[in-house]
């Protein structure tokens, strides 16, 4: 869904998270690999900000809350609870550093959930959703078992909604800063 929140809200989110010109208190924390914590390759560095995990962890939570309510309404999703909300900021990197291909395919968690993925900025670094959907914790696919279901271009104000048990990933940006907000949602059906 494009323009899930108003242009004014989009700009305020971008200004706070990326431009950071009007506040010095928004904190980003370095993560050696934004795809998988503890990944020994550590070739997908970026920054993370945790808005919510079991409780509100950020004074900026209210800024992003409308994304949840407006996306749920637009997608006709009945939110039971928010599991997690976090933002990732990735800087463009040289292809020689990151190599070819997308980041490591993954799912955020193994319990049933819905993902709302909001793009803070226009950028390269597509999101890739695969056709493979895990059925339980030990259901991890081989690379040859997954095929691209959908490739989404990051566009400011766009939100993508998908079943969180679908394996997915991103391409590392090489031209633009890539900033997203990832919401993991428990619904009445999950």
């Amino acid at each position: 869904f494009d323009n899930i929140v108003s242009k004014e809200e989009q700009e305020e989110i971008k200004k706070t998270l990326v431009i950071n010109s009007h506040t010095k208190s928004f904190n980003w924390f370095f993560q050696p690999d934004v795809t998988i914590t503890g990944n020994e390759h550590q070739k997908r560095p970026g920054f993370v900000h945790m808005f919510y995990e079991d409780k509100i962890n950020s004074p900026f939570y209210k800024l992003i809350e409308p994304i949840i309510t407006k996306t749920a309404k637009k997608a006709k999703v009945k939110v039971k609870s928010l599991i997690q909300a976090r933002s990732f900021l990735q800087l463009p990197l040289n292809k020689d550093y990151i190599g070819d291909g997308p980041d490591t395919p993954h799912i955020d968690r193994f319990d049933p959930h819905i993902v709302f993925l909001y793009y803070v900025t226009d950028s390269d670094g597509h999101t890739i959703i695969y056709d493979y959907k895990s059925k339980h914790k030990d259901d991890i696919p081989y690379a040859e078992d997954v095929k691209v279901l959908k490739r989404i271009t990051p566009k400011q104000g766009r939100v993508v909604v998908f079943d969180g048990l679908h394996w997915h990933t991103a391409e590392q940006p090489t031209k633009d800063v890539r900033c997203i907000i990832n919401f993991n949602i428990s619904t009445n059906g999950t």
Side-chain angles (χ1 to χ4, degrees), residues 1 4 70-77 116 161:
F1 303 103
I4 201 70
K70 291 178 181 184
T71 300
K73 183 176 180 181
K74 186 83 168 177
K76 297 182 174 124
V77 170
F116 295 173
V161 178

Side-chain angles (χ1 to χ4, degrees), residues 4 25 27 38 70 85 89 91 117 122 129 136 146 156 158 175 181-182:
I4 201 70
S25 60
N27 296 316
K70 291 178 181 184
L89 177 78
L91 305 176
L117 188 64
D122 294 342
I129 301 172
H136 53 78
V146 296
Q156 180 179 318
R158 175 175 288 167
K175 298 178 184 110
I181 303 172
N182 172 284

